[in-house]
Amino acid sequence: MSNPLLVVSAHAGDFVWRAAGAIALAAERGDRVRVVCLSYGERGESAKAWREGKKLEEIKELRRAEAEAAATALGAEIEFFDAGDYPLLETPELTDRLVHVYREFVPAVVLTHTLSDPYNGDHPAAARMALQARILAQAIGYDAPGEPLGAPPVFFFEPHQSEQCDFKPDVLLDITPVFERKERAMTCLPAQQHMWEYYTDLARRRGVQLRRNAGPNLGLAHTTMAEAYVRFYPQTTGILA
Amino acid sequence: MSNPLLVVSAHAGDFVWRAAGAIALAAERGDRVRVVCLSYGERGESAKAWREGKKLEEIKELRRAEAEAAATALGAEIEFFDAGDYPLLETPELTDRLVHVYREFVPAVVLTHTLSDPYNGDHPAAARMALQARILAQAIGYDAPGEPLGAPPVFFFEPHQSEQCDFKPDVLLDITPVFERKERAMTCLPAQQHMWEYYTDLARRRGVQLRRNAGPNLGLAHTTMAEAYVRFYPQTTGILA
Amino acid sequence: MSNPLLVVSAHAGDFVWRAAGAIALAAERGDRVRVVCLSYGERGESAKAWREGKKLEEIKELRRAEAEAAATALGAEIEFFDAGDYPLLETPELTDRLVHVYREFVPAVVLTHTLSDPYNGDHPAAARMALQARILAQAIGYDAPGEPLGAPPVFFFEPHQSEQCDFKPDVLLDITPVFERKERAMTCLPAQQHMWEYYTDLARRRGVQLRRNAGPNLGLAHTTMAEAYVRFYPQTTGILA
Amino acid sequence: MSNPLLVVSAHAGDFVWRAAGAIALAAERGDRVRVVCLSYGERGESAKAWREGKKLEEIKELRRAEAEAAATALGAEIEFFDAGDYPLLETPELTDRLVHVYREFVPAVVLTHTLSDPYNGDHPAAARMALQARILAQAIGYDAPGEPLGAPPVFFFEPHQSEQCDFKPDVLLDITPVFERKERAMTCLPAQQHMWEYYTDLARRRGVQLRRNAGPNLGLAHTTMAEAYVRFYPQTTGILA
Amino acid sequence: MSNPLLVVSAHAGDFVWRAAGAIALAAERGDRVRVVCLSYGERGESAKAWREGKKLEEIKELRRAEAEAAATALGAEIEFFDAGDYPLLETPELTDRLVHVYREFVPAVVLTHTLSDPYNGDHPAAARMALQARILAQAIGYDAPGEPLGAPPVFFFEPHQSEQCDFKPDVLLDITPVFERKERAMTCLPAQQHMWEYYTDLARRRGVQLRRNAGPNLGLAHTTMAEAYVRFYPQTTGILA
Amino acid sequence: MSNPLLVVSAHAGDFVWRAAGAIALAAERGDRVRVVCLSYGERGESAKAWREGKKLEEIKELRRAEAEAAATALGAEIEFFDAGDYPLLETPELTDRLVHVYREFVPAVVLTHTLSDPYNGDHPAAARMALQARILAQAIGYDAPGEPLGAPPVFFFEPHQSEQCDFKPDVLLDITPVFERKERAMTCLPAQQHMWEYYTDLARRRGVQLRRNAGPNLGLAHTTMAEAYVRFYPQTTGILA
């Protein structure tokens, strides 16, 4: 049984730093993964290109190519809405495009940004639209092709400064088996090289915490790498574990 | 592989109303279940017996017998600390007894009360001791027999007035397959008959919510029954679902 | 002295499940009650009609008739803004229409949705507009007929999954004397029959809590039924009770 | 019908600054009021006397006389537990003494400190014991004379630095009719003269807020004085207002 | 080294009541201060003028003149966006105008409203735009003249009813040396004379708290006056104090 | 003017991982620094020694020697209360000993643990005693030698899993100039070598955040290292910055 994974990302690079591990794990299990980038991050997250004097269209092209390469490295499809960034404006039209994605792709799990980020207004805007579109897609009366959506769980991936975004991890995901793929995806984004180290450090830090919360007896390696997530809806399960 | 389940309960009846479903599920899976009742609830939760003029020792005996019957109905072992209730006093000695339980029983999962309950001081006292004993049992230097404990996840079961106890469910457990056993256990507590209906209503209500959060497409029956839990430590996992 | 009650509801059915008791109590005291339905809930809350193949206009007509019948059963006036649902868009024009209602109806008490609801974006949108319009109506400089509004207290009525909406009841309203009327109003909404039981269960549950918070000595019947509310502004009073 | 009011205060002066208005209102309505001072505030709130070189017993006598005079001015009975302050230690014995007061006095309303106060550890200690004793007094099995207590509502009175104590007022009490009595009671505490102005300012500030929340149309005078409270348990009522 | 101070205010009077002390201190230190009033407060905060029968344009002129006088008294520049109030609508255009201010004025510190205010929708709208514009101004790719902005700290000034706006002060600013200037600025707003006393009381109250948090040993005068602020981003420093 | 720094630490190693930078900065400025270790961490934080078969007294001696070496490396005095750990019990006697330290050392700044830590009960116990002792030391009537204490600010240093302890940094301290000293102090604790890397990673991560919050224009080096703190009382200041 397939469990398609949908990732809604404000800018071209977000899915790599914050969710590459989850994406690669899903892809390796054989699940389809779709990344939707609402913008290229052309204005807000391309400082190096601007400083080099590149033009807007060039930068968008550049970011697109990088993101496509990263998605490929992770085994994911990728789609760009080119909705503009800084600011990414929350509109009914953009939300409606996301409804169409939900109805067509039928995700079993959804990943997106946190609802709060005092350093970046585009991230919460993307999250609000991802959540609102999910609700709309559930309504049989909403005018879009496809069946009403079920209730796929939503996870927020980790923002850059977790505590300031009220991000209190409630899921620690073991990404050790695919960490090499995450590294490969990160190197597809050469302009943000300082991020490689930051997110490698973070993965190691989350790995230490995963080992601590899983207990020392499980025999997890000292090299455990992890990503942290916040679950937005209650988990439904047949077993407490 | 066995996953022993430990339930730390302030009074004799708590584990029935709040966690009978989880207990029965574990027992049916073949996991050992141990219930530790810190008190019999002889003063605070035996109003009917007091009104009938029973004496303290009689009441304790009565509550013990009822709780044993309920545990048996669910497939659980039960142990009584007879530490007194109303108030249940938080002491190093009682905590130490719990450390010994952890070290000897080696639970894979722990259930206990919420840390806040404006209607009942014994419940948070039990929870604080259950959590503190778990931490102490993890330390190799703590003087008690057995190996240092791993890091079993802790779940808070549902208090009587959830919102007033800041209980925001993050796990909805499907107890439909064992609900009949929960009913049988509840009938072992004849003095609190008004609770049978209350907790049957609650299980149905949580069942509706489970269906809503699991999505309509899963084909869950309209008769789904559920228990709600709050997870105290982050979940560690190899898959987001 | 009359105390008009205004209820601002996102969809046609909300006021019935969540506030029928408060409405019927006010009506029986002789207070005017006005329900404003911002939409008919034609897309998001009419799944049965869509599955039966009904068309949008038919469904709106159907929901309108049902809501009118329910309002009549409760003794309330009802008004429809037909602003569309799923999504209900928050606009200055819609807010302005609500200002006109405030200025003309001059409510002494206002009921509306909670500001948070992860399952339904229309509910918070309705609440935000209801609150914003109340503020605007207070300003003498706002261009709308009538006198500046006073400061009617606002109560949020209970959402479907209270804890997930951060709904912590601070008022428990005894609706026992009018519960039969609430039942009658619910039966005016035949397409959502599963809700009848859910909200009857809930009223009984809130009734148990009301008895518990009012104290056993008041002699409240075991059949006490209640609705829960959250007060948005501080209570002003001449007596603590 | 009489509604006895119980005030549990950590130190001798607290009930004056924070609740004199509520006390005087109750007394003027003909309700009995009992103030229980757990300590005299002899160490922590008698700086002037210590600087003047007074001895411990003298200071206790002094504070007792002042508090008695203030209670008389307000129409309240007063009782001293002489349990010591700075620190006021939370003990089962002290809590038990409070249970006896609840069982004997049978309050209809209870006032005490907030559960959080980063400037004063005695205040939360007093509040925890007041709340715990109320719960114990409700249990028929608790060994103390008298009938089991009902469920009197509890209000927290205002701490010195409200925001730092997470004190968000949800009740504003109009004390205009008795403000002169509050002033008289404050003058019974001559050593803390700087507090007279502080709490007069505060009453005026809360009065402005009361007028704002009650609405301009009620015709409240510009001289409205108020006290702020936080309600700990949900209000139970037959009417929303 | 100069530290320009930018104040973003929803209405013409806000900066006076809430931040006049901080403004005067900066001006006396020789720092440039710029106040941006997004509206004149012509509809929502000019009740007296409306009651006197003045027209909209007259009222705007009046408020402008008053605000200019107050700014002059404090040593600040002032600018009006005339964006309309009640409601002040959050738009991309208005935010863009603020970005231009940031890029041109290059503030070292920013003051604005709180993000929550249940009594006034314009205040949070102004704060959201002030914060969003600061983020946009930091992006080299944002199309506006000037260099990318650094990361000036943002402080929220005190709303009218602090606790209801979740305003928990974390900075208490000593404004004693400039309090006379604040008084002079307040008298420039004769229509809101009741506010003079309210904000003088408040300054005294915050002064008492400043003395209490600074410690009695510092020898601060009993006449210390203060303003309270909430810091939105973490403080960066080379010394803990 | 000297600003003595007091650090209250539950176990022997805590002050190194969490506050070595602040300590070294103070020492280099010429301020006295006193570290009070309530226990040696002999049971809970000495797993390696226990696994090697060492005895309790040996372990205490070992931890003491290590902590002394680390304190010396940082330029701090150190004192041990030997109160026992796992559990560290909160007692009036221990709190009284801390009062004596406050009265004798007269700190200008205090560092201690957070009030919440779900992984370690000793840390909050230490913090509660450090805070309570500070309050008691302020009271002239408290029976201990020395003058009443002023109001030194308190900062919580960073726990091991920040988000789970509700640790939201509001101060980022630049420790770049003394990071080498912190490294030296860490190497004095050879049994916890895995912590060296963890806290070096953390310092780098907090350094990135410091640069981001201070703004890119300040020219902070890419090698900025930082420690994060939470301020418990409002900052008092004469300048907003």
Side-chain angles (χ1 to χ4, degrees):
Chain A
M1 172 187 164
S2 166
N3 287 296
L5 172 65
L6 176 65
V7 184
V8 180
S9 180
H11 310 108
D14 293 328
F15 72 95
V16 181
W17 317 117
R18 317 187 189 297
I23 292 170
L25 282 172
E28 296 217 341
R29 283 193 310 265
D31 294 329
R32 266 182 80 189
V33 184
R34 168 89 58 95
V35 177
V36 174
C37 291
L38 301 181
S39 80
Y40 297 107
E42 60 269 20
R43 296 193 179 277
E45 319 219 322
S46 306
K48 187 159 173 289
W50 286 99
R51 278 196 298 266
E52 293 169 356
K54 295 216 170 56
K55 298 281 176 256
L56 185 63
E57 286 309 313
E58 279 178 281
I59 293 170
K60 287 163 70 169
E61 203 43 55
L62 184 78
R63 300 306 314 261
R64 179 191 187 103
E66 290 174 3
E68 281 174 343
T72 302
L74 297 171
E77 315 159 18
I78 191 163
E79 182 177 0
F80 302 91
F81 276 15
D82 193 10
D85 76 330
Y86 268 64
L88 171 64
L89 294 175
E90 195 182 350
T91 65
E93 293 70 31
L94 210 44
T95 305
D96 180 67
R97 285 186 67 182
L98 282 171
V99 176
H100 282 73
V101 171
Y102 278 103
R103 284 278 181 89
E104 178 259 319
F105 186 69
V106 193
V109 175
V110 180
L111 309 184
T112 192
H113 296 270
T114 50
L115 285 167
S116 169
D117 189 336
Y119 299 96
N120 193 311
D122 294 357
H123 294 166
R128 288 193 303 267
M129 288 189 282
L131 291 170
Q132 169 75 335
R134 176 184 168 281
I135 291 172
L136 299 179
Q138 293 178 317
I140 185 176
Y142 190 90
D143 188 18
E147 289 302 303
L149 186 70
V154 177
F155 297 89
F156 298 140
F157 43 62
E158 179 154 358
H160 201 65
Q161 298 191 47
S162 62
E163 299 97 341
Q164 306 304 323
C165 302
D166 300 323
F167 181 83
K168 181 172 179 172
D170 46 30
V171 182
L172 293 167
L173 179 69
D174 188 346
I175 61 166
T176 316
V178 296
F179 190 71
E180 206 191 350
R181 289 191 130 205
K182 178 162 187 168
E183 287 182 303
R184 227 177 315 141
M186 292 198 290
T187 57
C188 298
L189 307 173
Q192 292 167 287
Q193 200 161 338
H194 59 288
M195 302 283 265
W196 303 358
E197 186 193 40
Y198 191 79
Y199 282 94
T200 301
D201 276 6
L202 180 60
R204 194 164 43 230
R205 178 171 172 76
R206 294 303 183 196
V208 171
Q209 296 173 353
L210 186 150
R211 289 207 316 275
R212 180 122 179 207
N213 284 285
N217 307 342
L218 288 199
L220 289 174
H222 274 275
T223 52
T224 302
M225 303 302 261
E227 281 173 350
Y229 290 89
V230 164
R231 192 187 277 282
F232 189 54
Y233 294 101
Q235 178 186 10
T236 59
T237 182
I239 180 167
L240 290 182
Chain B
M1 172 185 165
S2 165
N3 287 297
L5 172 66
L6 175 65
V7 185
V8 180
S9 180
H11 310 108
D14 293 329
F15 72 95
V16 181
W17 316 117
R18 316 185 190 297
I23 293 170
L25 281 172
E28 296 216 341
R29 281 193 310 265
D31 295 329
R32 268 181 79 191
V33 183
R34 169 89 57 94
V35 177
V36 175
C37 290
L38 301 182
S39 81
Y40 297 107
E42 60 269 20
R43 296 192 180 278
E45 317 221 321
S46 306
K48 187 159 172 290
W50 285 100
R51 278 196 299 264
E52 293 168 358
K54 295 216 171 56
K55 298 281 176 257
L56 184 64
E57 286 309 315
E58 280 178 281
I59 292 171
K60 287 162 70 170
E61 204 43 58
L62 184 79
R63 298 307 313 263
R64 178 189 188 102
E66 289 174 4
E68 282 174 342
T72 302
L74 297 172
E77 315 159 19
I78 191 163
E79 184 177 359
F80 301 91
F81 276 16
D82 193 11
D85 76 329
Y86 269 65
L88 170 65
L89 293 175
E90 195 181 349
T91 66
E93 293 70 32
L94 211 43
T95 305
D96 179 66
R97 287 187 64 183
L98 282 171
V99 176
H100 283 73
V101 172
Y102 277 104
R103 284 276 181 90
E104 178 259 318
F105 185 69
V106 193
V109 176
V110 180
L111 310 184
T112 191
H113 296 270
T114 50
L115 284 167
S116 169
D117 189 336
Y119 298 96
N120 193 309
D122 295 358
H123 294 165
R128 286 193 303 266
M129 287 188 283
L131 291 170
Q132 170 75 334
R134 175 184 168 283
I135 290 171
L136 298 179
Q138 292 177 319
I140 185 176
Y142 190 90
D143 189 17
E147 291 300 304
L149 185 71
V154 177
F155 296 89
F156 300 139
F157 41 63
E158 178 154 0
H160 201 64
Q161 298 191 49
S162 63
E163 298 97 343
Q164 306 303 323
C165 302
D166 299 324
F167 181 84
K168 181 172 179 172
D170 46 31
V171 182
L172 294 167
L173 179 69
D174 188 345
I175 62 167
T176 316
V178 297
F179 189 71
E180 207 193 347
R181 289 189 131 208
K182 178 162 188 168
E183 286 183 303
R184 227 178 315 142
M186 290 199 290
T187 58
C188 298
L189 307 172
Q192 292 167 285
Q193 199 161 340
H194 58 287
M195 302 283 265
W196 304 356
E197 187 194 37
Y198 190 79
Y199 282 92
T200 301
D201 277 7
L202 181 61
R204 194 163 44 230
R205 178 172 172 76
R206 293 303 183 197
V208 171
Q209 295 173 354
L210 187 150
R211 288 207 316 277
R212 180 122 179 207
N213 284 285
N217 305 341
L218 288 200
L220 290 174
H222 275 275
T223 53
T224 301
M225 304 301 261
E227 282 173 351
Y229 291 89
V230 164
R231 191 187 278 280
F232 188 55
Y233 294 102
Q235 179 185 8
T236 60
T237 182
I239 178 167
L240 291 183
Chain C
M1 172 186 163
S2 166
N3 286 297
L5 173 66
L6 176 66
V7 184
V8 180
S9 181
H11 312 107
D14 293 328
F15 72 95
V16 180
W17 317 116
R18 316 186 191 297
I23 293 170
L25 282 171
E28 296 217 342
R29 282 194 310 266
D31 294 330
R32 270 181 78 189
V33 183
R34 167 90 57 93
V35 177
V36 175
C37 291
L38 301 182
S39 80
Y40 296 107
E42 61 268 21
R43 296 193 179 278
E45 317 220 322
S46 306
K48 187 159 172 291
W50 287 100
R51 279 195 299 265
E52 292 168 359
K54 294 215 169 57
K55 298 280 178 261
L56 184 63
E57 285 310 313
E58 280 178 280
I59 292 171
K60 286 163 70 169
E61 202 44 56
L62 185 77
R63 299 305 314 262
R64 178 190 189 102
E66 289 175 3
E68 281 173 342
T72 301
L74 297 170
E77 314 159 20
I78 191 162
E79 184 177 0
F80 302 91
F81 277 15
D82 193 11
D85 77 329
Y86 269 66
L88 171 64
L89 294 176
E90 195 182 348
T91 64
E93 293 70 32
L94 211 44
T95 304
D96 180 65
R97 284 186 66 182
L98 282 171
V99 176
H100 283 74
V101 171
Y102 278 103
R103 285 278 180 89
E104 179 259 318
F105 186 69
V106 192
V109 176
V110 180
L111 310 183
T112 191
H113 296 271
T114 51
L115 285 167
S116 168
D117 188 337
Y119 298 96
N120 193 310
D122 294 357
H123 293 167
R128 286 193 303 266
M129 287 188 282
L131 290 169
Q132 169 76 335
R134 177 184 166 282
I135 290 171
L136 299 179
Q138 292 178 316
I140 185 175
Y142 190 90
D143 189 18
E147 291 300 303
L149 186 71
V154 176
F155 297 89
F156 298 140
F157 42 62
E158 179 153 358
H160 202 64
Q161 298 192 50
S162 62
E163 298 97 343
Q164 306 304 323
C165 302
D166 300 323
F167 181 83
K168 182 172 180 171
D170 46 30
V171 181
L172 294 168
L173 179 69
D174 188 345
I175 63 166
T176 317
V178 297
F179 189 71
E180 207 191 347
R181 287 189 133 207
K182 177 160 188 170
E183 286 183 304
R184 225 177 316 141
M186 291 198 291
T187 57
C188 297
L189 307 172
Q192 292 166 287
Q193 200 161 338
H194 58 286
M195 302 282 266
W196 304 356
E197 187 193 39
Y198 190 79
Y199 282 93
T200 301
D201 277 7
L202 180 59
R204 194 163 44 230
R205 177 172 172 75
R206 294 303 182 195
V208 171
Q209 295 174 353
L210 186 149
R211 288 208 315 276
R212 180 123 180 206
N213 284 286
N217 306 342
L218 289 200
L220 290 173
H222 274 276
T223 52
T224 302
M225 304 302 261
E227 281 173 351
Y229 291 89
V230 164
R231 189 187 279 281
F232 188 55
Y233 293 101
Q235 180 185 8
T236 59
T237 182
I239 180 165
L240 291 182
Chain D
M1 173 187 164
S2 165
N3 286 298
L5 172 66
L6 176 65
V7 184
V8 180
S9 179
H11 311 107
D14 293 329
F15 72 95
V16 180
W17 317 116
R18 315 185 191 298
I23 293 171
L25 282 171
E28 296 217 342
R29 283 193 311 264
D31 294 330
R32 266 182 81 190
V33 183
R34 168 88 58 94
V35 177
V36 175
C37 290
L38 301 181
S39 80
Y40 297 107
E42 60 270 21
R43 296 192 180 280
E45 318 220 321
S46 307
K48 188 159 170 290
W50 286 100
R51 279 196 299 264
E52 293 169 358
K54 294 217 170 56
K55 299 279 177 258
L56 185 63
E57 285 310 314
E58 278 178 282
I59 292 170
K60 286 163 70 169
E61 203 43 57
L62 184 79
R63 299 307 314 263
R64 179 190 187 102
E66 288 174 4
E68 281 175 342
T72 302
L74 297 172
E77 312 161 20
I78 191 163
E79 184 177 1
F80 301 91
F81 276 16
D82 193 12
D85 76 328
Y86 269 64
L88 171 65
L89 294 175
E90 195 180 349
T91 66
E93 294 70 31
L94 210 45
T95 304
D96 179 66
R97 285 186 67 182
L98 282 171
V99 176
H100 282 74
V101 170
Y102 277 104
R103 283 278 180 88
E104 179 258 318
F105 186 70
V106 193
V109 176
V110 180
L111 311 184
T112 192
H113 296 271
T114 49
L115 285 167
S116 168
D117 189 338
Y119 299 96
N120 193 311
D122 295 357
H123 293 167
R128 287 194 302 267
M129 288 189 281
L131 291 170
Q132 169 76 334
R134 176 183 168 282
I135 291 172
L136 298 179
Q138 292 178 317
I140 185 175
Y142 190 91
D143 189 17
E147 290 301 304
L149 186 70
V154 177
F155 297 88
F156 299 140
F157 42 63
E158 178 154 358
H160 201 65
Q161 298 191 50
S162 62
E163 298 98 342
Q164 305 304 322
C165 302
D166 300 324
F167 181 83
K168 183 173 178 171
D170 47 30
V171 182
L172 294 168
L173 179 69
D174 188 345
I175 61 166
T176 316
V178 297
F179 189 71
E180 206 191 347
R181 289 190 130 206
K182 178 162 186 168
E183 285 182 303
R184 228 177 314 141
M186 291 199 291
T187 59
C188 297
L189 307 173
Q192 291 167 287
Q193 200 161 337
H194 59 288
M195 302 283 265
W196 304 356
E197 187 192 39
Y198 190 79
Y199 281 93
T200 300
D201 277 7
L202 181 60
R204 194 163 44 230
R205 177 171 172 76
R206 294 304 184 196
V208 170
Q209 295 174 353
L210 186 149
R211 289 206 316 275
R212 180 120 178 208
N213 284 285
N217 306 342
L218 288 200
L220 290 173
H222 274 275
T223 53
T224 302
M225 304 301 262
E227 282 173 351
Y229 291 89
V230 164
R231 192 186 276 282
F232 188 55
Y233 293 102
Q235 179 185 9
T236 60
T237 182
I239 180 167
L240 290 182
Chain E
M1 173 186 165
S2 165
N3 287 297
L5 172 66
L6 175 65
V7 184
V8 180
S9 180
H11 311 106
D14 293 328
F15 72 95
V16 180
W17 317 116
R18 315 185 191 298
I23 293 170
L25 282 171
E28 296 217 341
R29 281 193 311 267
D31 294 330
R32 267 181 81 189
V33 184
R34 168 90 58 95
V35 177
V36 175
C37 290
L38 301 180
S39 80
Y40 297 107
E42 61 269 21
R43 295 192 180 280
E45 317 220 322
S46 307
K48 187 159 172 288
W50 287 99
R51 278 197 299 266
E52 293 169 357
K54 294 216 170 57
K55 299 280 177 256
L56 184 63
E57 286 309 314
E58 279 177 281
I59 293 170
K60 287 163 69 169
E61 203 44 55
L62 184 78
R63 299 306 314 261
R64 179 191 189 102
E66 288 175 4
E68 282 173 342
T72 302
L74 297 172
E77 314 160 20
I78 191 162
E79 183 177 2
F80 302 91
F81 277 14
D82 193 12
D85 76 330
Y86 270 64
L88 170 66
L89 294 175
E90 195 180 350
T91 64
E93 293 71 29
L94 211 44
T95 303
D96 179 66
R97 284 187 66 182
L98 282 171
V99 176
H100 283 74
V101 171
Y102 278 104
R103 285 277 181 89
E104 178 258 318
F105 186 70
V106 192
V109 176
V110 180
L111 310 184
T112 191
H113 296 271
T114 51
L115 284 166
S116 169
D117 189 336
Y119 298 96
N120 192 311
D122 294 357
H123 294 166
R128 287 193 303 268
M129 288 189 281
L131 291 170
Q132 170 75 335
R134 176 183 167 281
I135 291 171
L136 298 179
Q138 293 178 317
I140 185 175
Y142 190 89
D143 188 17
E147 291 301 302
L149 186 70
V154 177
F155 297 88
F156 299 140
F157 41 63
E158 179 154 358
H160 202 65
Q161 298 191 49
S162 62
E163 298 97 343
Q164 306 304 321
C165 302
D166 300 323
F167 181 84
K168 182 173 179 171
D170 46 30
V171 182
L172 293 168
L173 178 69
D174 188 345
I175 61 166
T176 316
V178 297
F179 189 70
E180 206 192 349
R181 288 189 133 208
K182 178 162 186 169
E183 285 183 303
R184 226 178 314 142
M186 291 198 291
T187 58
C188 297
L189 308 172
Q192 291 167 286
Q193 200 162 339
H194 58 287
M195 302 283 265
W196 304 356
E197 185 192 39
Y198 190 79
Y199 281 93
T200 300
D201 277 7
L202 181 59
R204 195 162 43 230
R205 179 172 172 76
R206 293 303 183 196
V208 170
Q209 295 174 353
L210 185 151
R211 288 208 315 278
R212 180 123 179 206
N213 283 286
N217 306 342
L218 288 199
L220 290 173
H222 274 275
T223 51
T224 302
M225 305 301 263
E227 282 173 351
Y229 291 88
V230 164
R231 192 187 277 280
F232 188 55
Y233 293 102
Q235 179 185 10
T236 59
T237 182
I239 179 166
L240 290 182
Chain F
M1 174 187 163
S2 164
N3 287 296
L5 173 66
L6 176 65
V7 184
V8 181
S9 179
H11 311 106
D14 293 328
F15 71 95
V16 181
W17 316 117
R18 315 185 191 298
I23 293 171
L25 282 172
E28 297 218 341
R29 281 194 310 265
D31 295 329
R32 268 181 80 190
V33 183
R34 168 89 58 94
V35 176
V36 176
C37 290
L38 300 182
S39 80
Y40 297 107
E42 61 269 20
R43 296 193 179 278
E45 317 220 321
S46 306
K48 187 159 172 288
W50 286 101
R51 277 196 300 264
E52 293 168 358
K54 294 217 170 56
K55 297 281 177 260
L56 184 63
E57 287 309 314
E58 280 178 281
I59 291 170
K60 285 163 70 168
E61 203 42 57
L62 184 78
R63 299 307 312 264
R64 178 190 188 102
E66 289 173 4
E68 281 173 341
T72 301
L74 297 171
E77 313 160 21
I78 191 163
E79 183 178 1
F80 301 91
F81 277 15
D82 192 13
D85 77 328
Y86 268 66
L88 170 65
L89 293 176
E90 195 182 349
T91 65
E93 293 71 29
L94 211 44
T95 304
D96 179 65
R97 284 186 67 182
L98 282 171
V99 177
H100 283 73
V101 171
Y102 277 104
R103 284 278 181 89
E104 178 258 318
F105 185 70
V106 193
V109 175
V110 180
L111 309 184
T112 191
H113 296 272
T114 51
L115 285 167
S116 169
D117 189 337
Y119 299 96
N120 193 309
D122 295 358
H123 293 167
R128 286 193 303 267
M129 288 189 281
L131 291 170
Q132 170 74 336
R134 176 183 167 282
I135 291 172
L136 297 179
Q138 293 177 318
I140 184 175
Y142 189 90
D143 189 18
E147 291 300 303
L149 186 70
V154 178
F155 297 88
F156 299 140
F157 42 61
E158 178 154 359
H160 201 64
Q161 298 191 49
S162 63
E163 299 96 344
Q164 305 304 321
C165 302
D166 300 323
F167 181 83
K168 182 172 178 172
D170 45 32
V171 182
L172 294 168
L173 179 70
D174 188 346
I175 61 167
T176 316
V178 296
F179 190 71
E180 206 192 349
R181 289 190 129 205
K182 177 161 187 168
E183 284 182 305
R184 228 178 313 142
M186 292 198 292
T187 59
C188 298
L189 307 173
Q192 291 167 288
Q193 199 162 341
H194 58 288
M195 302 283 264
W196 305 356
E197 186 193 39
Y198 191 78
Y199 281 93
T200 300
D201 276 7
L202 181 60
R204 195 163 43 231
R205 179 171 171 75
R206 293 304 182 195
V208 171
Q209 294 174 354
L210 186 149
R211 288 207 317 276
R212 180 122 179 207
N213 283 285
N217 305 342
L218 288 200
L220 290 173
H222 273 276
T223 53
T224 301
M225 304 301 261
E227 281 173 351
Y229 291 88
V230 164
R231 190 186 279 280
F232 189 54
Y233 294 101
Q235 179 186 9
T236 58
T237 183
I239 180 166
L240 291 181

